[in-house]
Amino acid sequence: LATPALAEAVQWEAFTRGLLVLGCGKSAVRVSPPLVIDEATMASGLAVLEDAIGAVSLGRDERAERPMAQVVDLTSARGTSH
């Protein structure tokens, strides 16, 4: 990402959507999925990350607008949501 602030904003937006991503360097984020993961679960997690990046790129602050309604579980091969 262009700045450390944008990387932090993406991390926060992903978290509010139920996806935990990690900081990597000064201005990057990374995901750390399990070694065994089904395609649907991976697609779900990537969609959440895409939404978070989109919200940050549009300059929206959705933290106050949207409660954490769904947690994407990337730790199990089943990919269940909580």
Side-chain angles (χ1 to χ4, degrees), residues 55-67:
V56 170
S57 70
L58 293 174
R60 295 192 316 237
D61 184 356
E62 295 188 2
R63 288 174 278 189
E65 299 172 19
R66 181 178 166 157

Side-chain angles (χ1 to χ4, degrees), residues 4-78:
L6 287 175
E8 186 175 335
V10 167
Q11 288 177 59
W12 179 253
E13 288 295 331
F15 178 75
T16 62
R17 289 167 169 74
L19 180 67
L20 183 61
V21 296
L22 307 168
C24 182
K26 291 185 179 184
S27 60
V29 296
R30 65 181 170 162
V31 295
S32 185
L35 294 176
V36 178
I37 188 169
D38 63 83
E39 189 173 339
T41 304
M42 182 60 73
S44 176
L46 291 175
V48 171
L49 181 58
E50 182 179 20
D51 288 346
I53 293 169
V56 170
S57 70
L58 293 174
R60 295 192 316 237
D61 184 356
E62 295 188 2
R63 288 174 278 189
E65 299 172 19
R66 181 178 166 157
M68 186 166 44
Q70 180 182 16
V71 175
V72 178
D73 182 2
L74 296 180
T75 62
S76 72
R78 292 189 317 266

